[in-house]
Amino acid sequence: MTSDSATVYRGRFAPSPTGPLHFGSLVAAVGSYLDARSRGGEWLVRIEDLDPPREIPGAASMILQTLENFELYWDGSVLYQSQRNAAYADAIDQLQSRRQLFPCACSRKEIADSAIAGPEGPIYPGTCRQGMDNPRQPHALRVRAEDRNLNFSDLLQGYIEQNLARDIGDFVVRRADGIHAYQLAVVVDDAQQGITHVVRGSDLLLSTTRQIYLQELLGYPTPEYLHLPIVVNSAGEKLSKQTYAEPLDVQASRKLAAAVLRFLNQPIPADFSGMTLSEIWSSAAQTWDPQSLPPTLTGVVPVLA
Ligand code: GLU
């Protein structure tokens, strides 16, 4: 992987291998790809295989194969989070040595029973902040959330402000089973890969302040963020394995490419039907206009024409 400081734009697509790529993840892939290419930037792929119990065997290679079938070619080699434990452990050590973490063995139920509801689930009530009764039992590590406003300007969704202590509470950076939390891993990897622009689905919009907070604590730069609308079905549910999102049929790839561009409110190239997928993407990168993206949190899956 190159990491010369002359690169002004480095984006990424970071799928979790919990199933094959579906229309919703294709939108995130294409959105991040076109935003990078339109700026002459690099586009990296990172497989977020952090959580073996949630992984579907073979999904990572299926996702990469689907990207190749769609002629969405990435730069450098793919980074696998499963191989990054040492880097995450270093970050944990750094936070530990500054006393920003504390152990917590509260169960989900205990927290739910004594917490008030926040925008992202129950707000951790601070039960173990002053220490645990029996610190030897298996425990998660939580980072202390500060009572101050954090904000950022999302390039599509606009100004976002959160007070982590009030809205989220102290959050987990390493789970009791030893697995590092997504919030920690994504921050460590975005920094290590020199990511300057994060383009991803709006389901992660409210995770961003936690990530900016960890970037501050760890002394990392904060990238630009652009959160695309996530694709929902006609019942308003996010496409995921749970809602039986169709794995992509690459035979229909040209139609799907048009559907993605339409979903993102970008023009379809004029001589579309005579173009290869690579030609479609390079034309779409030339006409890519982030101002035209729908500034909404969700969009309904289009009917394939
Ligand atoms: N791995 C996450 C997902 O598949 C995306 C993480 C990110 O883009 O920050 O939903």
Side-chain angles (χ1 to χ4, degrees), residues 80-116:
Y80 289 83
Q81 288 195 325
S82 54
Q83 288 161 27
R84 301 269 302 144
N85 269 322
Y88 307 145
D90 279 353
I92 292 281
D93 286 350
Q94 207 178 316
L95 296 170
Q96 289 264 39
S97 67
R98 300 212 212 106
R99 303 190 186 288
Q100 278 146 339
L101 306 184
F102 63 88
C104 167
C106 295
S107 65
R108 271 175 202 272
K109 179 161 185 342
E110 283 165 339
I111 294 171
D113 286 351
S114 57
I116 52 169

Side-chain angles (χ1 to χ4, degrees), residues 6 11 41 70 79 88 99 104 151 156 172 213:
F70 272 89
L79 189 72
Y88 307 145
R99 303 190 186 288
C104 167
N151 63 65
L156 183 59
V172 172
Y213 181 54

